[in-house]
Amino acid sequence: MASANVLVENKTNESPNDTKICCEDEHELPKNFEPGASRTSVLLSTKSLEEESVSNEEFQVLQRKSSCISEIEKSVAGISLEDNLNDESQTDGSLKTKTSVETKSDTTSIHSELLTDELAGDCDELNDPVWKYQKNHIFILSEAGKPIYSRHGSEDHLVTLMGVMQALVSFVQHNGDMIRSIHAGDRKFVFLHRIPLILVAVTSSKASVPQLLGHLTYVYNQIVSVFTMSNLNKIFEKRSNFDLRRLLGGAEKFLDSLTEVLDTDPCFLLSAVKCLSLDNSIREIIGQTLAQYCGKIKNIVFAILLVDNQLVTLVRMKKYYLHPADLHIVMNLISSSESFKSVETWLPICLPKFDSSGFLHAHISYVDDDCKTCLLLLSVDKDQFFELKECRNKIVERLKKYFCMEAIEKSVYSKGYSVSQVGITEVRHFLYKSRSTAQYTAPRLEAPYVTDDDWNHLFGLYQYLHHRMYKSSRPLKMLYYSGERETMVGWHMQGFELYAAFEPLVTKMDATNAMKKIVQWIKKEEDNLFIMNAPTI
């Protein structure tokens, strides 16, 4: 990444005329041209990370919106939606029992812990070169400075460090401002204050401040998915110095898994979901099957079929949509839990973008012998396990009857399509996002991007293109970036985003023409690359 540092700095000082050369030809495509735009909405459309960032005050307003879960329950029961919505009824009883238990430790301040023998362990951790020079750190602490989570190292040994972080946030807030980031050498310290938690990212990667804020928001949402926002607030209202780790027991693996992929998975950068490349006729059979059997059962809100963190299909209740960020939380839950492979599971989960005040109840099961394809049936009824179990069995039976499982297995085994299928020799790799459907596609990784370091290098350049083109002070429709190892081009239209890596000596004219050919190829293959028509229940 050393060469990328120099290239990025050089690019920021480039003349505006360099961008115009690539922008002149964009009008050859219609403004509303959007390969992958489905006839019916599958997921909520998304904005960029920069556009989605909100202040803490705005966030508190957003969390007070009415409960979708309450609306669904009342609608199914035939109760008027004008009745008062009681968010309290959506909290999980077992969690209430847990939160009523309090420790007998100090109730004054986190600083009392600094008088214990942990000071010695704290110093050892901070001076450990293995810990110190990790590329990416993420810390979570309460507003009282109580350690909750650290991506690397033990929280118990980082008490003083988190105390300093809390002091920084508190000091700046006391003066009527909000700390967002600190830049020191090649390190960025990014802060996200979401009452009652403080999240901090420390990194030497190429991720921008808005992108890191997006990462921290995902981590925050992962915690909310375990507790709900209303329960989380109640916990700290009762006791500001509460040790949340006691209730997070067993859920740290979800945070560990999430923080590992935030830096490398394009779905978080693009705020989009990757769909499994699959013959459209097979996908329609799967969607119709889910809709047919789930439609007979009240209270099912979403039915989702996943394989290898890719979406096969999604069926939803009319009027209600799933946000990609919630689907990412679900995917992380599945990929980080081996226990789901051995038994059908019934699990409460909060989807923060859908409804941060209550739980949906998920029936989770694998439907193939290799335990790769996972079916999730999400309901608002916590007593519906056996009914959904029977529904699941009927779905699996029909999918096998029409050879859908074989088609999914074949697609997974092929690992997607090759960039050579696009037919443009200069193109090495690309990311394409349909803006209205929040779905993206990308070819499988091939030479010269065969190692993790190769991908990290390329992904850092994708991060730079994405941030630079969305930069509010000077947003761009097209950006040409020439480096030592490759040439990168970003292109934004009304309906899509495209980022591509080319051979290093490709000209601007050739790169521009190639970008159009990529979009035209995606348009030709869109029925297999995207979910174009998802039924509702």
Side-chain angles (χ1 to χ4, degrees), residues 134-309:
Q134 290 286 347
K135 190 174 183 179
N136 298 287
H137 288 274
I138 287 181
F139 306 97
I140 307 174
L141 55 147
S142 68
E143 289 182 302
K146 194 81 171 180
I148 296 173
Y149 174 81
S150 173
R151 177 175 178 179
H152 303 289
S154 169
E155 298 86 14
D156 290 330
H157 295 164
L158 300 172
V159 173
T160 53
L161 178 63
M162 295 197 188
V164 171
M165 293 175 179
Q166 185 272 339
L168 282 170
V169 172
S170 179
F171 176 79
V172 175
Q173 191 176 42
H174 180 73
N175 287 277
D177 210 336
M178 180 179 65
I179 187 169
R180 185 177 186 186
S181 65
I182 298 173
H183 299 256
D186 65 342
R187 295 270 175 171
K188 290 184 284 285
F189 299 73
V190 179
F191 297 78
L192 179 68
H193 187 189
R194 287 284 181 259
I195 298 171
L197 305 180
I198 297 171
L199 300 95
V200 184
V202 182
T203 181
S204 58
S205 72
K206 295 302 174 186
S208 66
V209 170
Q211 288 163 359
L212 292 169
L213 285 171
H215 293 176
L216 293 177
T217 301
Y218 270 108
V219 175
Y220 174 80
N221 286 342
Q222 184 67 65
I223 293 179
V224 172
S225 74
V226 176
F227 297 103
T228 77
M229 190 179 296
S230 55
N231 273 330
L232 193 62
N233 288 331
K234 288 176 185 175
I235 291 170
F236 286 97
E237 284 174 2
K238 289 181 179 179
R239 178 172 175 175
S240 62
N241 202 33
F242 186 82
D243 189 351
L244 195 65
R245 287 177 297 173
R246 293 173 49 231
L247 300 185
L248 269 178
E252 293 94 341
K253 63 182 179 181
F254 303 137
L255 292 171
D256 291 339
S257 174
L258 179 63
T259 54
E260 285 299 320
V261 297
L262 282 171
D263 311 312
T264 57
D265 195 328
C267 72
F268 301 105
L269 176 67
L270 300 175
S271 297
V273 172
K274 187 176 184 181
C275 296
L276 179 71
S277 180
L278 192 66
D279 184 89
N280 185 51
S281 61
I282 297 295
R283 202 188 306 272
E284 286 190 353
I285 292 174
I286 297 172
Q288 290 168 2
T289 300
L290 266 60
Q292 176 182 336
Y293 292 108
C294 294
K296 297 177 181 179
I297 301 176
K298 292 182 179 181
N299 295 323
I300 291 184
V301 187
F302 301 110
I304 308 168
L305 194 64
L306 302 171
V307 58
D308 281 356
N309 280 335

Side-chain angles (χ1 to χ4, degrees), residues 42 67-69 71-72 75 81 301-302 316-322 354:
V42 181
S67 168
C68 291
I69 295 176
E71 289 180 1
I72 294 171
S75 177
L81 296 181
V301 187
F302 301 110
R316 60 180 178 82
M317 182 182 284
K318 291 179 181 177
K319 289 173 50 182
Y320 297 97
Y321 297 88
L322 194 61
F354 177 72

Side-chain angles (χ1 to χ4, degrees), residues 485-498:
R485 294 174 55 178
E486 57 271 293
T487 290
M488 306 291 297
V489 181
W491 187 17
H492 285 186
M493 288 281 281
Q494 179 178 316
F496 66 81
E497 299 174 19
L498 178 61

Side-chain angles (χ1 to χ4, degrees), residues 462-530:
Y462 280 141
Q463 288 177 314
Y464 167 70
L465 284 182
H466 185 273
H467 171 65
R468 180 63 191 85
M469 296 186 73
Y470 269 113
K471 199 170 184 179
S472 58
S473 60
R474 187 186 161 203
L476 300 174
K477 292 185 177 179
M478 184 166 274
L479 176 62
Y480 179 91
Y481 169 90
S482 181
E484 293 179 4
R485 294 174 55 178
E486 57 271 293
T487 290
M488 306 291 297
V489 181
W491 187 17
H492 285 186
M493 288 281 281
Q494 179 178 316
F496 66 81
E497 299 174 19
L498 178 61
Y499 310 90
F502 293 87
E503 297 287 343
L505 299 180
V506 70
T507 65
K508 290 180 181 179
M509 183 65 70
D510 289 342
T512 303
N513 291 332
M515 296 289 275
K516 297 174 189 173
K517 291 178 182 178
I518 293 173
V519 174
Q520 290 164 353
W521 181 85
I522 293 173
K523 179 65 178 177
K524 184 176 68 173
E525 300 291 329
E526 65 179 357
D527 285 338
N528 297 334
L529 299 177
F530 303 98

